[in-house]
Amino acid sequence: MSSHTSSEDCLGWAARDPSGFLSPYKFSRRVPGDDDVSITITHCGICYADVLWTRNKLGDSKYPLVPGHEIAGIVETVGANVHRFKVGDHVGVGTYVNSCRQCEYCEDGQEVCCTGGSTNTFNGIDFDGTVTKGGYSNYIVVHERYCYRIPENYPLASAAPLLCAGITVYSPMIRHKMNQPGKSLGVIGLGGLGHLAVKFGKAFGLNVTVFSTSISKKEEALSVLGSDKFVLSSDTEQMEALSKSLDFIIDAASGDHPFDPYMSTLKVGGTMVLVGFPSQVKFSPASLNLGMRTISGSVTGGTRVTQEMIDFCAAHGIYPNIDVIPIQYSNEAIERVIKNDVKYRFVIDIQGSLK
């Protein structure tokens, strides 16, 4: 019998109202079923999604709300039908914990695109009608399909941000064949997502250019992250010098910004993928049509490509740049996320600080 039961034995930190202020909260998880994995959470990354829902920015927050969908931990128990995991395995959980498992997308391992809608890891409605609660907590119960194996030699703290930030950029890079050595990649926005796009690009053998509106990020982009070129996007001459030179662009900037200047840097037939969420996307049809360019969007990724990404990171020594914090610092950390004051992902040490 599992040591994780359905009594109020799960300790987390929750927001109670749109102020988003987090404080200790006890609640119950469902009793693990035959297909479930019960996971002791060791680490959870802080994502901008945590800001959106704790503060009810989308108008659908269900309080008390326990955020967190970049979860890493250790298997505590497994159900009778679970064969992919055993007690003691290192595992991760990402942005969703259920889907219909029957539609064409689920059958193709693209559960994030489930026609019935995938169930969010927090603030979603689970199959039993309860509201899902995320990784700012000491354990979680998840169907094995939505769990990912983390290699034993890969640090759990580093694995956590891969489950949202990492897969958000890796998935479209694979889908649009941005893994061709010798090709050129531009990255807009050097934050949690952008810095991983740079790391993946270099691992794929691409020539990587970082765009930024801040000259202060130049040294970091070139010396720390290893990009090949840094371009101040507000400098017209620097932008014009890149005209028709890039095969791909990953746009990870969520603030409003012009699109035409960046699209002009794409080669004929080049591809730009939007992974951020500005309030609007506006560009001239000529930027698209005359260069036969493609602009695409993407969210996270299905179970198959997510596991592939984790294995790729372990095999190539790709680690997010993280700042590990105690859960008691989570309110301050979220304020800093809002101000873009983090290099490049806060990760909560759940096991070491949630008592």
Side-chain angles (χ1 to χ4, degrees):
M1 184 68 181
S2 169
S3 60
H4 294 158
T5 70
S6 63
S7 62
E8 288 191 354
D9 66 339
C10 192
L11 177 60
W13 274 46
R16 269 68 168 196
D17 56 54
S19 71
F21 184 81
L22 297 160
S23 59
Y25 170 63
K26 282 189 175 181
F27 63 99
S28 60
R29 297 282 190 189
R30 71 168 186 264
V31 174
D34 288 344
D35 299 309
D36 288 334
V37 178
S38 183
I39 302 161
T40 296
I41 299 172
T42 62
H43 298 85
C44 186
I46 294 182
C47 175
Y48 198 77
D50 303 346
V51 177
L52 295 178
W53 273 288
T54 56
R55 303 190 178 203
N56 199 28
K57 297 295 187 181
L58 303 181
D60 66 348
S61 296
K62 304 169 186 67
Y63 299 104
L65 189 149
V66 179
H69 62 199
E70 294 183 340
I71 300 168
I74 300 170
V75 174
E76 176 79 13
T77 65
V78 297
N81 297 335
V82 174
H83 301 295
R84 293 174 50 226
F85 303 100
K86 66 182 186 301
V87 173
D89 282 350
H90 290 188
V91 294
V93 177
T95 61
Y96 54 92
V97 291
N98 210 346
S99 64
C100 79
R101 303 174 217 155
Q102 297 175 337
C103 69
E104 61 178 305
Y105 302 106
C106 285
E107 289 189 350
D108 193 37
Q110 299 183 64
E111 296 89 346
V112 69
C113 299
C114 175
T115 55
S118 55
T119 301
N120 289 343
T121 300
F122 69 89
N123 201 56
I125 302 299
D126 213 345
F127 71 89
D128 60 358
T130 60
V131 177
T132 56
K133 292 177 169 58
Y136 291 31
S137 58
N138 58 5
Y139 81 94
I140 192 168
V141 177
V142 182
H143 189 289
E144 72 163 331
R145 177 169 180 153
Y146 310 97
C147 300
Y148 306 99
R149 182 178 300 281
I150 298 171
E152 294 289 329
N153 64 344
Y154 197 90
L156 288 170
S158 297
L162 299 181
L163 278 306
C164 179
I167 190 58
T168 296
V169 293
Y170 183 91
S171 178
M173 292 179 82
I174 296 299
R175 185 166 64 253
H176 293 283
K177 298 179 171 57
M178 299 186 192
N179 55 349
Q180 304 173 63
K183 297 281 189 175
S184 53
L185 169 71
V187 177
I188 305 171
L190 197 59
L193 277 65
H195 94 286
L196 282 167
V198 172
K199 288 173 181 274
F200 286 136
K202 294 306 298 179
F204 290 145
L206 303 180
N207 187 290
V208 179
T209 296
V210 168
F211 294 100
S212 180
T213 57
S214 174
I215 191 66
S216 64
K217 293 192 175 182
K218 181 176 182 178
E219 185 66 22
E220 187 87 9
L222 296 174
S223 301
V224 178
L225 298 177
S227 63
D228 299 284
K229 188 179 296 185
F230 177 89
V231 171
L232 192 63
S233 54
S234 58
D235 188 317
T236 304
E237 287 187 9
Q238 289 187 41
M239 293 294 286
E240 289 178 350
L242 280 182
S243 178
K244 295 183 178 179
S245 66
L246 301 176
D247 295 290
F248 314 109
I249 292 176
I250 290 286
D251 184 351
S254 283
D256 288 338
H257 56 284
F259 283 77
D260 292 296
Y262 295 109
M263 293 178 71
S264 71
T265 68
L266 284 172
K267 293 180 180 178
V268 171
T271 299
M272 179 177 186
V273 177
L274 181 67
V275 294
F277 282 85
S279 65
Q280 66 175 358
V281 176
K282 188 176 181 180
F283 55 87
S284 166
S287 293
L288 200 65
N289 299 346
L290 297 183
M292 297 185 291
R293 300 180 178 105
T294 298
I295 187 165
S296 178
S298 193
V299 283
T300 55
T303 54
R304 186 180 62 245
V305 71
T306 301
Q307 186 64 62
E308 175 190 308
M309 172 210 58
I310 294 170
D311 294 341
F312 182 85
C313 288
H316 293 83
I318 298 171
Y319 305 98
N321 290 32
I322 60 175
D323 186 351
V324 179
I325 62 168
I327 198 164
Q328 292 78 12
Y329 188 72
S330 57
N331 287 300
E332 291 87 344
I334 284 178
E335 289 292 340
R336 287 179 58 186
V337 168
I338 294 170
K339 298 173 184 175
N340 293 317
D341 179 24
V342 54
K343 291 183 180 179
Y344 284 94
R345 207 66 160 185
F346 284 119
V347 174
I348 302 171
D349 177 5
I350 298 290
Q351 191 174 51
S353 65
L354 181 56
K355 307 294 184 185

